[in-house]
Amino acid sequence: MRAGQQSRLRLATLIAPGTLLVAAFFGCLGVLFVQSFLPSAGMGRLGDGFTLASYAAFLGDPFYVGYLLRSIAIAVYTTAIVLVLGYVVAYHMTLCGRRMRLAISIVLLVQFFTSFVIRTYAVMLVLGRFGIANRTLQAIGLTDEPLRLLFNEFAVATGIVLTAVPYMVFPIYGSLMAIEPNLRAAAESLGATRRRIFWEVVFPLSLPGVAAAVVIVFLFALTSYIAPGLLGGGYFDMIANLIYDKAVNAQDYPFAAAAAVVSVATTLVLVYLMQKGFRLAIRGTER
Amino acid sequence: MHGIEFRDVAVRYGSNTVLHGLSLAIAPSEFLALLGPSGCGKTTMLRVLAGFVPYAGSVLLDGRPIDAVPTHRRGIGIVFQDYALFPHRTVAENIAFGLRMRGGAAAAIGRRVEEMLELLRLGGLGARYPGQLSGGQQQRVALARAIAIDPPVLLLDEPLSSLDKKLREEMQIELRQLQKRVGITTVFVTHDQEEALAMADRIAVMNGGRIQQIGTPREIYARPANRFVADFIGRSSLHPVRVAGDADGTWRCTREDGTALRAVGPASASPGAAFFLSVRPESIALAAPDHVDPALNVLDAVVEDVVFQGGVSHVRVRAAGGALFACEERGPGAGRGPGERVRIAWTPEDGILVPE
């Protein structure tokens, strides 16, 4: 009896912190959800009652919906680019020597653990008027005048791609390493060329890692705030920048909340569809 | 049907030599077992044959060197220890894999797959995934996949080691029958001597990157070529002796303690040469303490321990002078116990002199 109580207590202490975290998270989301249906009384104050005015204002205005669509678009193509880059890096890591693998891991991890602001600022330095990119282009004579590489969609996409690569590499690397080496040997003995071994065996078996990494990177890109903030410089804002602007600068909490709820709902649907797609592709690869 | 020949094949990893210039010919339709402890180089032999590792020397298929042929064009069928079935492909797709790589027509591939499913009693399992099969079924799929491409040689890398004992014995028989029916030249790697003895036409016993002996299972067991083979195959009592002279086609020899024994051995042996005397447990008879027979080697001994195993009892005795002998007694046994005084006896022909 005593022992039972003790273990129950221990279990409770173990579960409590996590439960609190999850509760706080959903509590905040709940508040957001509720606020999105309240009328705004201006100057950050909330009125009483129930209204769909904020949803109508957001969804009814192509200007606002444009932020969301633009964010989805850039998230889709940056994820695709990061997938190719990340896959190549991860695949290379499974083939190269131990030293090279270590070097790549260190570069990726340093990146990974550096603040977004700093990483993004580094991209600014590269793309700036007098940055490495422009100087290189001028040196090889491709352009006389510095190009405007910053404060546009190109800069934002570049920033997202460069900062998202580690999120793509590690899950894919993990699932590539989990492939039995004998499977490649078996395919080879059955007459498969290197190319066919890759497309028939390696790639399909790495799909679980690809699926995980794609969802992570897609969400990372879709919710970008610092990349458009610094690299877009106000010329290319994404949905997170709009929500921040409405909440902090315009102090229109219900509108910001409605925009956030629509974004979250859209994201959930997209991730669900992605998962469904991947599950179809992966069928059978789980043991 | 196709023959294989290894000519002076050596494999080195850095300063570590795994195979020391091996030569070995495998006849068409032969079932050859490469037998040895782990690290003896037997799996490396397979990897050389499959073209997975760089090597010096030459491998010939039907008399033609295949050293320059890459693995994917050697067309050799391999069954891996862990089967290496493609987990994302169905049984039928696994079996069809090699045929697809060769670019056959879909209908022909389908017919061949059906044929394989039937040959290996896998009917009705074509649409399953490997993860849904039992170990024995996975094993048969791996075999079907390897045979489907009609390879000149089939390589089996410890294919039975992950099955339980009963299934393993069933598969030994099944594999052997299949090999005879299809008539495919087969190289079978194993560390399990019973498996090798039961299945192979010939066994190559390997140790330390060298072939210690090659011969039929009977030859290997009855006439071990050296101490390693005598010790590794079956059970054997091994004792250092010196040749003293010859006597009626057998060799007279002496143990360190002066005990004189007679044994058979190489004709090249000469007085003073050092050998090991190898005697199989089933050759040694346990007799009463007063037993005398001048035609046999007879030693006084004391029973050390007895392990009763039903049909047979393993009796270990210590002979005068301290040497231990392993003996066997058939039947329910005389109920011997430790400390009992006995005599052990064996014919000179059952004592074999082997070099170190």
Side-chain angles (χ1 to χ4, degrees):
Chain A
M1 185 67 197
R2 266 194 74 102
Q5 273 175 339
Q6 238 177 5
S7 70
R8 222 171 296 160
L9 186 69
R10 195 172 305 160
L11 198 65
T13 32
L14 283 173
I15 293 174
T19 315
L20 272 175
L21 266 176
V22 173
F25 177 74
F26 278 104
C28 295
L29 272 184
V31 170
L32 198 75
F33 188 70
V34 170
Q35 284 195 357
S36 69
F37 294 108
L38 297 178
S40 171
M43 298 306 289
R45 281 169 303 153
L46 300 167
D48 289 324
F50 173 87
T51 174
L52 292 173
S54 301
Y55 285 95
F58 177 72
L59 292 172
D61 193 333
F63 175 72
Y64 289 135
V65 175
Y67 282 92
L68 184 57
L69 296 180
R70 197 184 311 149
S71 300
I72 292 171
I74 195 171
V76 167
Y77 75 76
T78 52
T79 302
I81 295 169
V82 175
L83 172 59
V84 174
L85 288 178
Y87 202 104
V88 169
V89 173
Y91 189 62
H92 182 70
M93 280 171 76
T94 62
L95 300 178
C96 66
R98 206 166 3 133
R99 275 154 185 263
M100 187 63 180
R101 182 155 57 233
L102 190 67
I104 296 173
S105 303
I106 288 173
V107 169
L108 290 174
L109 283 174
V110 166
Q111 241 247 65
F112 192 76
F113 285 114
T114 309
S115 145
F116 277 130
V117 178
I118 296 172
R119 282 150 70 180
T120 310
Y121 192 66
V123 178
M124 281 182 88
L125 291 179
V126 172
L127 295 181
R129 198 173 159 79
F130 304 109
I132 301 169
N134 259 321
R135 270 190 285 170
T136 312
L137 287 175
Q138 282 173 297
I140 58 175
L142 277 178
T143 172
D144 298 328
E145 288 291 296
L147 295 176
R148 186 185 146 138
L149 300 174
L150 265 184
F151 309 131
N152 52 22
E153 181 171 354
F154 170 76
V156 176
T158 308
I160 292 173
V161 165
L162 290 182
T163 49
V165 166
Y167 298 95
M168 189 62 87
V169 171
F170 289 114
I172 295 178
Y173 175 70
S175 64
L176 283 173
M177 287 305 278
I179 299 174
E180 288 291 335
N182 269 353
L183 292 181
R184 293 177 210 219
E188 202 182 350
S189 74
L190 289 166
T193 56
R194 283 169 154 235
R195 173 187 298 241
R196 295 201 84 169
I197 293 173
F198 179 80
W199 287 112
E200 303 260 358
V201 178
V202 177
F203 184 71
L205 289 176
S206 68
L207 277 178
V210 170
V214 161
V215 169
I216 293 170
V217 169
F218 178 74
L219 293 179
F220 172 86
L222 186 61
T223 56
S224 292
Y225 171 70
I226 292 165
L230 290 177
L231 299 166
Y235 294 96
F236 189 85
D237 278 348
M238 288 170 63
I239 187 71
N241 305 90
L242 172 72
I243 295 170
Y244 177 83
D245 189 55
K246 284 294 176 187
V248 175
N249 296 333
Q251 304 230 334
D252 189 348
Y253 292 128
F255 183 91
V261 168
V262 171
S263 305
V264 169
T266 313
T267 309
L268 284 177
V269 170
L270 289 175
V271 170
Y272 173 76
L273 291 177
M274 264 193 250
Q275 294 281 39
K276 269 219 117 140
F278 274 120
R279 203 154 298 157
L280 272 178
I282 289 169
R283 110 209 114 81
T285 51
E286 301 102 8
R287 294 184 188 206
Chain B
M1 291 306 121
H2 308 270
I4 295 284
E5 194 182 341
F6 287 79
R7 264 190 206 160
D8 233 3
V9 169
V11 174
R12 282 181 197 87
Y13 296 121
S15 60
N16 182 19
T17 304
V18 187
L19 290 182
H20 298 266
L22 292 188
S23 296
L24 167 66
I26 305 162
S29 294
E30 184 173 24
F31 192 123
L32 179 93
L34 294 172
L35 173 66
S38 54
C40 71
K42 57 191 193 293
T43 298
T44 306
M45 292 275 280
L46 272 201
R47 300 182 67 81
V48 164
L49 196 41
F52 289 138
V53 288
Y55 55 88
S58 193
V59 177
L60 294 86
L61 175 63
D62 296 330
R64 278 190 303 278
I66 54 169
D67 309 306
V69 182
T71 300
H72 72 274
R73 283 202 262 119
R74 286 194 182 187
I76 285 170
I78 307 178
V79 176
F80 293 87
Q81 187 167 7
D82 57 2
Y83 313 141
L85 296 175
F86 304 123
H88 58 304
R89 305 274 192 190
T90 62
V91 166
E93 287 167 348
N94 263 281
I95 298 173
F97 190 91
L99 302 167
R100 277 204 304 118
M101 294 303 120
R102 276 158 180 71
I109 292 176
R111 274 198 305 278
R112 182 70 176 156
V113 169
E114 281 306 316
E115 205 180 307
M116 286 296 120
L117 287 171
E118 197 177 322
L119 181 69
L120 284 144
R121 299 191 289 111
L122 288 164
L125 298 179
R128 300 266 189 97
Y129 284 97
Q132 299 169 311
L133 303 181
S134 71
Q137 289 168 335
Q138 291 186 20
Q139 157 90 68
R140 291 206 291 271
V141 176
L143 261 172
R145 185 178 68 176
I147 298 177
I149 58 175
D150 199 14
V153 190
L154 181 63
L155 307 186
L156 305 164
D157 185 7
E158 307 245 7
L160 306 179
S161 61
S162 48
L163 302 177
D164 63 53
K165 189 172 157 58
K166 199 166 149 52
L167 192 54
R168 191 161 65 229
E169 285 167 0
E170 279 172 28
M171 282 305 296
Q172 281 179 9
I173 297 169
E174 197 170 320
L175 196 56
R176 180 71 190 152
Q177 287 174 343
L178 181 77
Q179 193 265 341
K180 284 293 148 215
R181 196 157 68 236
V182 181
I184 186 170
T185 311
T186 302
V187 183
F188 183 95
V189 160
T190 181
H191 66 273
D192 182 338
Q193 47 164 305
E194 287 178 24
E195 210 163 271
L197 290 170
M199 295 170 74
D201 294 323
R202 278 194 309 159
I203 298 174
V205 183
M206 293 184 67
N207 191 41
R210 292 191 167 85
I211 292 179
Q212 304 293 324
Q213 185 174 6
I214 180 157
T216 66
R218 273 170 210 290
E219 281 165 9
I220 299 261
Y221 186 82
R223 288 283 177 270
N226 59 33
R227 184 185 174 194
F228 174 82
V229 177
D231 196 29
F232 188 75
I233 307 288
R235 293 184 336 134
S236 193
S237 301
L238 279 163
H239 299 291
V241 293
R242 251 172 219 294
V243 174
D246 65 319
D248 324 325
T250 64
W251 292 101
R252 273 186 299 113
C253 47
T254 51
R255 282 175 32 79
E256 279 162 13
D257 59 22
T259 319
L261 297 165
R262 278 183 300 148
V264 292
S268 59
S270 58
F275 281 94
F276 283 85
L277 171 68
S278 163
V279 195
R280 298 288 184 193
E282 65 273 19
S283 309
I284 302 178
L286 287 161
D290 53 1
H291 186 81
V292 180
D293 189 337
L296 302 179
N297 292 307
V298 180
L299 294 177
D300 285 320
V302 177
V303 174
E304 283 266 309
D305 50 57
V306 181
V307 178
F308 176 68
Q309 287 192 328
V312 60
S313 293
H314 297 284
V315 183
R316 215 153 53 113
V317 303
R318 188 176 294 280
L324 281 171
F325 285 85
C327 322
E328 273 177 21
E329 272 196 306
R330 296 273 147 194
R336 298 184 193 281
E340 188 178 335
R341 304 191 61 81
V342 293
R343 273 190 175 168
I344 53 173
W346 67 92
T347 66
E349 288 72 25
D350 285 330
I352 297 146
L353 296 178
V354 293
E356 171 67 59

